[in-house]
Amino acid sequence: MVLQLRSNDFLRLKDAAKTIIVTTNKAPARKARAMAAAGVTVWHLAAVRDGRVAWQPLLRKLADFGIVSVLIEGGAAIAASALGAKVVDK
């Protein structure tokens, strides 16, 4: 999975320090560094077979930061992967 967001998008955020981008080690390091320089937190986590971020490590890391509820927004592929990983309870 390639990080598809433009670095400049985060430079315009009012409060980038509250933004967390989660990606895999395949994301371009240049983009991750630019986002981090703009105050965005970038997490590199394990990927599943299809190259997407694995749900369990992501949810564990969020829980470590006190985040215990997450709204998952995305298309059918994101919804299906969350359901398939059995991380949806509502």
mmCIF file of all heavy atoms in Angstrom, residues 42-61:
data_model
loop_
_atom_site.group_PDB
_atom_site.id
_atom_site.type_symbol
_atom_site.label_atom_id
_atom_site.label_comp_id
_atom_site.label_asym_id
_atom_site.label_seq_id
_atom_site.Cartn_x
_atom_site.Cartn_y
_atom_site.Cartn_z
ATOM 1 N N VAL A 42 3.407 9.914 12.490
ATOM 2 C CA VAL A 42 3.355 8.862 11.478
ATOM 3 C C VAL A 42 3.747 7.542 12.125
ATOM 4 O O VAL A 42 4.827 7.427 12.698
ATOM 5 C CB VAL A 42 4.304 9.163 10.293
ATOM 6 C CG1 VAL A 42 4.224 8.049 9.243
ATOM 7 C CG2 VAL A 42 3.974 10.510 9.661
ATOM 8 N N TRP A 43 2.839 6.572 12.075
ATOM 9 C CA TRP A 43 3.110 5.236 12.598
ATOM 10 C C TRP A 43 3.296 4.279 11.434
ATOM 11 O O TRP A 43 2.489 4.229 10.525
ATOM 12 C CB TRP A 43 1.945 4.724 13.433
ATOM 13 C CG TRP A 43 1.704 5.437 14.720
ATOM 14 C CD1 TRP A 43 2.528 6.301 15.371
ATOM 15 C CD2 TRP A 43 0.521 5.344 15.516
ATOM 16 N NE1 TRP A 43 1.939 6.749 16.516
ATOM 17 C CE2 TRP A 43 0.705 6.181 16.638
ATOM 18 C CE3 TRP A 43 -0.675 4.655 15.395
ATOM 19 C CZ2 TRP A 43 -0.255 6.318 17.629
ATOM 20 C CZ3 TRP A 43 -1.627 4.789 16.377
ATOM 21 C CH2 TRP A 43 -1.420 5.608 17.492
ATOM 22 N N HIS A 44 4.373 3.484 11.483
ATOM 23 C CA HIS A 44 4.611 2.432 10.501
ATOM 24 C C HIS A 44 4.303 1.107 11.193
ATOM 25 O O HIS A 44 4.973 0.754 12.162
ATOM 26 C CB HIS A 44 6.063 2.454 10.023
ATOM 27 C CG HIS A 44 6.385 3.664 9.214
ATOM 28 N ND1 HIS A 44 6.800 4.847 9.772
ATOM 29 C CD2 HIS A 44 6.321 3.879 7.887
ATOM 30 C CE1 HIS A 44 6.992 5.736 8.819
ATOM 31 N NE2 HIS A 44 6.706 5.172 7.670
ATOM 32 N N LEU A 45 3.297 0.392 10.699
ATOM 33 C CA LEU A 45 2.876 -0.851 11.317
ATOM 34 C C LEU A 45 2.925 -2.002 10.328
ATOM 35 O O LEU A 45 3.099 -1.805 9.128
ATOM 36 C CB LEU A 45 1.457 -0.704 11.880
ATOM 37 C CG LEU A 45 1.280 0.342 12.977
ATOM 38 C CD1 LEU A 45 -0.183 0.420 13.393
ATOM 39 C CD2 LEU A 45 2.142 0.021 14.178
ATOM 40 N N ALA A 46 2.721 -3.201 10.856
ATOM 41 C CA ALA A 46 2.740 -4.407 10.037
ATOM 42 C C ALA A 46 1.616 -4.383 9.005
ATOM 43 O O ALA A 46 0.577 -3.768 9.214
ATOM 44 C CB ALA A 46 2.582 -5.637 10.938
ATOM 45 N N ALA A 47 1.869 -5.076 7.919
ATOM 46 C CA ALA A 47 0.865 -5.183 6.850
ATOM 47 C C ALA A 47 0.342 -6.612 6.776
ATOM 48 O O ALA A 47 1.021 -7.564 7.168
ATOM 49 C CB ALA A 47 1.485 -4.796 5.511
ATOM 50 N N VAL A 48 -0.864 -6.751 6.267
ATOM 51 C CA VAL A 48 -1.408 -8.073 5.980
ATOM 52 C C VAL A 48 -1.078 -8.423 4.537
ATOM 53 O O VAL A 48 -0.447 -7.636 3.826
ATOM 54 C CB VAL A 48 -2.936 -8.123 6.248
ATOM 55 C CG1 VAL A 48 -3.225 -8.006 7.725
ATOM 56 C CG2 VAL A 48 -3.667 -7.043 5.490
ATOM 57 N N ARG A 49 -1.514 -9.595 4.100
ATOM 58 C CA ARG A 49 -1.154 -10.074 2.758
ATOM 59 C C ARG A 49 -1.436 -9.095 1.629
ATOM 60 O O ARG A 49 -0.670 -8.993 0.686
ATOM 61 C CB ARG A 49 -1.890 -11.379 2.450
ATOM 62 C CG ARG A 49 -1.162 -12.593 2.973
ATOM 63 C CD ARG A 49 -1.911 -13.833 2.614
ATOM 64 N NE ARG A 49 -3.060 -13.905 3.532
ATOM 65 C CZ ARG A 49 -4.160 -14.561 3.286
ATOM 66 N NH1 ARG A 49 -4.319 -15.198 2.177
ATOM 67 N NH2 ARG A 49 -5.132 -14.578 4.173
ATOM 68 N N ASP A 50 -2.535 -8.365 1.722
ATOM 69 C CA ASP A 50 -2.881 -7.451 0.621
ATOM 70 C C ASP A 50 -2.146 -6.115 0.692
ATOM 71 O O ASP A 50 -2.382 -5.220 -0.102
ATOM 72 C CB ASP A 50 -4.388 -7.227 0.546
ATOM 73 C CG ASP A 50 -4.947 -6.512 1.770
ATOM 74 O OD1 ASP A 50 -4.173 -6.160 2.677
ATOM 75 O OD2 ASP A 50 -6.174 -6.307 1.813
ATOM 76 N N GLY A 51 -1.258 -5.961 1.674
ATOM 77 C CA GLY A 51 -0.454 -4.753 1.780
ATOM 78 C C GLY A 51 -1.053 -3.674 2.658
ATOM 79 O O GLY A 51 -0.441 -2.641 2.894
ATOM 80 N N ARG A 52 -2.253 -3.902 3.176
ATOM 81 C CA ARG A 52 -2.895 -2.923 4.052
ATOM 82 C C ARG A 52 -2.379 -3.071 5.480
ATOM 83 O O ARG A 52 -1.864 -4.115 5.859
ATOM 84 C CB ARG A 52 -4.408 -3.126 4.061
ATOM 85 C CG ARG A 52 -5.059 -2.905 2.727
ATOM 86 C CD ARG A 52 -6.555 -3.218 2.827
ATOM 87 N NE ARG A 52 -7.178 -3.208 1.534
ATOM 88 C CZ ARG A 52 -7.708 -2.136 0.982
ATOM 89 N NH1 ARG A 52 -7.690 -0.993 1.615
ATOM 90 N NH2 ARG A 52 -8.265 -2.199 -0.211
ATOM 91 N N VAL A 53 -2.559 -2.021 6.258
ATOM 92 C CA VAL A 53 -2.181 -2.060 7.672
ATOM 93 C C VAL A 53 -3.027 -3.116 8.375
ATOM 94 O O VAL A 53 -4.240 -3.184 8.183
ATOM 95 C CB VAL A 53 -2.391 -0.679 8.339
ATOM 96 C CG1 VAL A 53 -2.190 -0.743 9.833
ATOM 97 C CG2 VAL A 53 -1.451 0.350 7.711
ATOM 98 N N ALA A 54 -2.379 -3.934 9.197
ATOM 99 C CA ALA A 54 -3.082 -4.965 9.956
ATOM 100 C C ALA A 54 -3.889 -4.309 11.080
ATOM 101 O O ALA A 54 -3.399 -3.412 11.765
ATOM 102 C CB ALA A 54 -2.087 -5.971 10.527
ATOM 103 N N TRP A 55 -5.131 -4.742 11.252
ATOM 104 C CA TRP A 55 -6.019 -4.119 12.231
ATOM 105 C C TRP A 55 -5.566 -4.320 13.676
ATOM 106 O O TRP A 55 -5.602 -3.384 14.471
ATOM 107 C CB TRP A 55 -7.451 -4.661 12.066
ATOM 108 C CG TRP A 55 -8.151 -4.083 10.892
ATOM 109 C CD1 TRP A 55 -8.408 -4.690 9.701
ATOM 110 C CD2 TRP A 55 -8.667 -2.751 10.771
ATOM 111 N NE1 TRP A 55 -9.058 -3.827 8.854
ATOM 112 C CE2 TRP A 55 -9.236 -2.632 9.491
ATOM 113 C CE3 TRP A 55 -8.714 -1.646 11.629
ATOM 114 C CZ2 TRP A 55 -9.842 -1.460 9.045
ATOM 115 C CZ3 TRP A 55 -9.319 -0.490 11.181
ATOM 116 C CH2 TRP A 55 -9.869 -0.400 9.905
ATOM 117 N N GLN A 56 -5.191 -5.521 14.052
ATOM 118 C CA GLN A 56 -4.880 -5.799 15.463
ATOM 119 C C GLN A 56 -3.718 -4.949 15.993
ATOM 120 O O GLN A 56 -3.840 -4.336 17.053
ATOM 121 C CB GLN A 56 -4.622 -7.290 15.691
ATOM 122 C CG GLN A 56 -5.860 -8.152 15.488
ATOM 123 C CD GLN A 56 -7.005 -7.782 16.431
ATOM 124 O OE1 GLN A 56 -6.808 -7.311 17.539
ATOM 125 N NE2 GLN A 56 -8.225 -7.990 15.963
ATOM 126 N N PRO A 57 -2.580 -4.886 15.291
ATOM 127 C CA PRO A 57 -1.499 -4.019 15.791
ATOM 128 C C PRO A 57 -1.917 -2.549 15.870
ATOM 129 O O PRO A 57 -1.529 -1.833 16.797
ATOM 130 C CB PRO A 57 -0.371 -4.211 14.775
ATOM 131 C CG PRO A 57 -0.658 -5.514 14.124
ATOM 132 C CD PRO A 57 -2.154 -5.656 14.131
ATOM 133 N N LEU A 58 -2.731 -2.109 14.908
ATOM 134 C CA LEU A 58 -3.204 -0.725 14.927
ATOM 135 C C LEU A 58 -4.074 -0.467 16.155
ATOM 136 O O LEU A 58 -3.869 0.507 16.880
ATOM 137 C CB LEU A 58 -3.988 -0.412 13.652
ATOM 138 C CG LEU A 58 -4.752 0.910 13.645
ATOM 139 C CD1 LEU A 58 -3.821 2.093 13.894
ATOM 140 C CD2 LEU A 58 -5.523 1.067 12.357
ATOM 141 N N LEU A 59 -5.020 -1.341 16.415
ATOM 142 C CA LEU A 59 -5.915 -1.136 17.548
ATOM 143 C C LEU A 59 -5.182 -1.243 18.883
ATOM 144 O O LEU A 59 -5.480 -0.516 19.829
ATOM 145 C CB LEU A 59 -7.088 -2.109 17.469
ATOM 146 C CG LEU A 59 -7.996 -1.879 16.257
ATOM 147 C CD1 LEU A 59 -9.077 -2.942 16.186
ATOM 148 C CD2 LEU A 59 -8.602 -0.484 16.276
ATOM 149 N N ARG A 60 -4.183 -2.129 18.960
ATOM 150 C CA ARG A 60 -3.372 -2.213 20.191
ATOM 151 C C ARG A 60 -2.614 -0.907 20.434
ATOM 152 O O ARG A 60 -2.556 -0.404 21.548
ATOM 153 C CB ARG A 60 -2.387 -3.375 20.107
ATOM 154 C CG ARG A 60 -2.981 -4.690 20.516
ATOM 155 C CD ARG A 60 -1.886 -5.740 20.688
ATOM 156 N NE ARG A 60 -2.321 -7.006 20.155
ATOM 157 C CZ ARG A 60 -2.203 -7.417 18.896
ATOM 158 N NH1 ARG A 60 -1.617 -6.688 18.002
ATOM 159 N NH2 ARG A 60 -2.650 -8.588 18.516
ATOM 160 N N LYS A 61 -2.036 -0.374 19.380
ATOM 161 C CA LYS A 61 -1.276 0.878 19.523
ATOM 162 C C LYS A 61 -2.200 2.029 19.909
ATOM 163 O O LYS A 61 -1.862 2.852 20.761
ATOM 164 C CB LYS A 61 -0.512 1.193 18.241
ATOM 165 C CG LYS A 61 0.408 2.386 18.393
ATOM 166 C CD LYS A 61 1.527 2.353 17.403
ATOM 167 C CE LYS A 61 2.426 3.543 17.626
ATOM 168 N NZ LYS A 61 3.804 3.201 17.726
#
